[in-house]
Each structure stands twice: as structure tokens, then as C-alpha cells.
Amino acid sequence: MKSTLLMAGATALLATSNLNAQEKPPYTAPPTAPPPAPAAAAAPGTLESFLNVKVPEVFAKGKFNINVRLRYEYADAQTLRSSHAPTIRTRFGYTTAPLYGLQGMIEAENITIIGNQDMYNQAGTNPGGAGKTIVADPDTTELNQAWISYSRYDSTVKGGRQRIVLDNHRFVGDVGWRQNQQTYDGVSFESKALKDFNFFYGYLWEVNRVFGDVPGLAAANRDFDADAHLFNVSYSGWKYGKIVAYSYLLAFENSAANSSQTWGLSFAGSYTFDKETNFKANYRAEYAHQADYRNHPFTYDADYYNLEGSADYKRFNVGGGYEVLGSDRGIKGFATPLATLHAFNGWADIFLATPATGLRDIYAFAGVKLPGEIPLKVIYHKFDADFGSGDFGYEWDIVASRAIGKHWMAMLKYAYFDGKAPFVDTQKLWAQVEFNF
């Protein structure tokens, strides 16, 4: 009996123990208290944040640019001795990142002659080059650009020494072909705030030309002391092309013969017939009227016309055009003193200044992309006077280039001008390699 009671008590105790084990969770160690949070750093004041955060970011996130162009130019005019011009141009600049819409840029360039300084005529600045054909690449080091800008509402105001290129360089350009780039000291305003419209205004007080600021430079080649206004408005909302209206009011204190006012209108565009074969038509039409302005020594009027058309098909491009820089009775020709002149009227650079009798340029061109992705282009020009019946001659130009990766470009270029008096036969050859980053 006693053992029975003991067995019953043990069974009850075991059942109670199992029930308690099911009701209570398994034992776990008590949670560790999280480490105390570090004391919050005091927020920097507005001035401290600006000086120690914003300003360093402007420079840390800015961009360096470098351009190196090694070139050999051979130039031979019939009445002069030939010139050999091996030069290297180094351009180095830095542009800050924007800060509350503000941005700045500084850039310098150096042109160094490789070898004897008198192998060519540096626009008359080296006596040892006298009697040789001019190559307008002086041995010089200059500040190329230095500007500050402010951007807001799709508009930008920029002041200082700057590069300005408008439309196709015909009236305002940077003369990028020459080793010493043309830049402008002034203030410019550009706005794209209205859909499909672009408005540009620039006021210039100095034109830094390609001849450089070097001792012995002839007065005709010196930088322009300017009081000039540039207006350019374009509309690109039409699918067939862009319409541009412009007015360039140029007054030069030290070159009154180049002072002028030009008012013009252009239309340029393209139409694609077949995307697979790259079959498309390209076209351009332009008219401008020019007259004396401010301190020009006499009164004159002249007109400018340009009609150009071309077609692309696969690797081929053919086209032609007719450009007229008019004349006022054979006394004064239509002038474009701020243009990238090398790009127009032949690469031999015979007509950098428009003759007093004006200039008519009928031209045709053909291009093909050769195997190895080498574009080849041939251009023919026939030059005549606009006033009278003067025959100035003809010119053949040819160029081949090759991009080498993302940053390198190699090029060969040749121009032959067969001139009629007073213009003489001239030929030029260029070989160059360029690095751009």
C-alpha cells in the first residue's frame, strides 16, 4: 500500500514537471544592453560648411583638359621662298564644378617651334624668316581662356576671356585650325529658356587673334581693340532645319577698315530618306547685308549669299555650293574679320581678306570613308571677282584623317591654288597628330 502511494505521488510530480516545462519558454541569456549612441557632432555653421565642404568640392569635382597638337606645315608661294614649320601646340586648362550656378575656367597654351626659328615667316615677327611664305603660327605662350560664369533658368552669363563660335564659324569663330586659337575678351549671355529657341548676345572689348601678342608684329595683324556687339537668335523647332537671324556690330579702334555692321538670315538642315543606308540630303541657304559702321573710313554696302547642298549615301558624300562675298562698286568687299577663315574659300588661305572687287566661289566636293575608317575628301574651287570680270584662279584641296582610339587623331592635308594675277600659285601641305583629353 505504501509503495503504491509512493508510485502515485512520483507519477503526479513527474506530470506536473512536464506541464510546467511546456508552459515556460526555454531559458535564454538576458539580452545585452546596446552600446550607448555616440554623442551627435555639432552641425557646422553655414560659413563653415561653405568653406570646408562646398568650396573643396568645387575643385575636387572640376575637370582638367589637355590638348597637344604636333604639326608640320610646308608652304610655298610662287614669289616667295618655301617655309617649313614644325611646331607643337600644348593647351592645358581647368574648369571648376558648379557652385550655386557659379563656375570658372582658366586655360593657357604654348606654341613651340621645333628646330630653327627662321625656317618659316612668322607673320613678319622674325627677321630671319623674311622672304619666306607666311605661316601664322607664332612662337608664344599665352593665356587662352579665363572666365567666370553664372547659370540659372537655362541661361548663362559669362565674363572674361572666352571662346565664342556662332553657327558655322562664317562670321564669328575660334580659328581652331591655327595653333594659336582666337578668343575674345568680353561678356556673353546665352539663353535656352524658351523651347526650341536659343538667344545669344556678346559684348567684346578685345579680340585675341591667331598672330599672338609678340614683338615686331605688323599693325594689321595685332589684336583688335573692339567695341563690338554680337546678336544671334535661332529657332530649331522645325524638323526640316534651323533658322538663324543675326546682327554683328563691329567697331575696332585700331582697325577701322574692318569696322562693319552685318545683318543676316540663314536656314540649314537635313532630310533622311533611308536610315539603313544613311541616305540623306543636307542643305543650307544664307543671305546677309553689310555696311560701314562707326569709325569706318568711308560709306559702303555689300551683300553675302550662300547656297549649298549635298547628299550622303552609305560611305559616300557629294555636294557643291555657290558663295558670294559682294562688293560695292569694286571699292570695298564684304568682310568677315572674326570668322574661322581657313574653313572657307580654299585651304591655301589666299582669300583671308576679301578682295575689293568681292569674291565668287563656286565649289564642289566628294568624300568617301575608306577601309580602316579613314575619311577622304576632295574639294574643287573656282574663284572670280563679284564686281567686274576678274578671274582669280582655281584650287584643289584634299584631306585624309584617322581617329586612333578616343583621344588621338592623325591627319594629312594638301592644298594647291593655281592663281591669276595678282594672285600667285601656292601650295601647302600639313601632317599632324593630335591628342585631346
Side-chain angles (χ1 to χ4, degrees), residues 324-345:
V324 177
L325 293 96
S327 170
D328 188 340
R329 299 160 294 160
I331 300 172
K332 169 68 177 176
F334 192 104
T336 59
L338 303 185
T340 299
L341 293 165
H342 180 79
F344 304 90
N345 310 133

Side-chain angles (χ1 to χ4, degrees), residues 111-367:
I111 297 94
T112 298
I113 299 171
I114 302 172
N116 192 317
Q117 297 279 320
D118 296 329
M119 288 187 292
Y120 67 96
N121 185 341
Q122 302 173 45
T125 60
N126 55 326
K132 295 184 177 181
T133 307
I134 290 178
V135 177
D137 288 332
D139 186 83
T140 185
T141 300
E142 297 188 2
L143 181 66
N144 196 50
Q145 295 191 74
W147 51 258
I148 295 176
S149 69
Y150 177 71
S151 300
R152 194 173 184 184
Y153 305 122
D154 293 322
S155 303
T156 300
V157 178
K158 183 184 293 184
R161 181 163 297 184
Q162 56 193 284
R163 173 181 177 266
I164 299 176
V165 171
L166 298 178
D167 302 329
N168 64 342
H169 294 245
R170 191 57 183 106
F171 293 97
V172 181
D174 62 357
V175 197
W177 171 249
R178 297 268 43 115
Q179 296 285 58
N180 185 23
Q181 191 176 50
Q182 177 170 281
T183 57
Y184 303 87
D185 294 351
V187 177
S188 64
F189 171 76
E190 186 170 16
S191 177
K192 299 179 181 179
L194 294 178
K195 187 177 184 295
D196 298 325
F197 282 90
N198 187 87
F199 175 81
F200 177 90
Y201 167 74
Y203 173 73
L204 313 177
W205 59 77
E206 185 85 10
V207 180
N208 308 291
R209 303 172 71 200
V210 300
F211 303 100
D213 187 12
V214 295
L217 192 64
N221 296 330
R222 292 174 186 166
D223 293 347
F224 290 143
D225 295 328
D227 182 7
H229 303 268
L230 311 176
F231 298 90
N232 186 288
V233 181
S234 65
Y235 174 73
S236 56
W238 193 28
K239 67 177 182 179
Y240 295 107
K242 182 167 71 172
I243 301 170
V244 180
Y246 53 84
S247 175
Y248 306 130
L249 312 177
L250 312 179
F252 303 122
E253 297 177 12
N254 60 340
S255 185
N258 281 305
S259 295
S260 64
Q261 53 178 312
T262 303
W263 306 77
L265 187 70
S266 72
F267 171 70
S270 64
Y271 181 81
T272 300
F273 297 98
D274 182 23
K275 291 184 178 180
E276 290 187 7
T277 59
N278 190 38
F279 181 32
K280 68 177 181 179
N282 312 291
Y283 38 82
R284 181 180 185 85
E286 186 167 6
Y287 168 78
H289 178 77
Q290 186 175 95
D292 55 284
Y293 183 66
R294 296 270 290 273
N295 61 339
H296 197 279
F298 54 86
T299 301
Y300 80 97
D301 293 89
D303 294 316
Y304 171 86
Y305 308 89
N306 178 232
L307 291 172
E308 181 176 298
S310 67
D312 298 340
Y313 181 73
K314 294 186 177 179
R315 289 176 167 263
F316 300 93
N317 168 257
V318 294
Y322 180 55
E323 184 180 43
V324 177
L325 293 96
S327 170
D328 188 340
R329 299 160 294 160
I331 300 172
K332 169 68 177 176
F334 192 104
T336 59
L338 303 185
T340 299
L341 293 165
H342 180 79
F344 304 90
N345 310 133
W347 298 335
D349 290 338
I350 304 299
F351 302 103
L352 296 180
T354 307
T357 53
L359 178 67
R360 294 185 181 184
D361 179 5
I362 299 175
Y363 57 95
F365 54 87

Side-chain angles (χ1 to χ4, degrees), residues 62-82:
K63 181 180 179 181
F64 288 96
N65 65 279
I66 184 169
N67 174 274
V68 181
R69 180 197 281 169
L70 176 65
R71 171 189 286 171
Y72 167 75
E73 178 171 346
Y74 169 78
D76 180 34
Q78 189 176 27
T79 57
L80 299 168
R81 290 179 291 153
S82 59

Side-chain angles (χ1 to χ4, degrees), residues 24-36:
K24 292 182 180 181
Y27 173 80
T28 56
T32 304

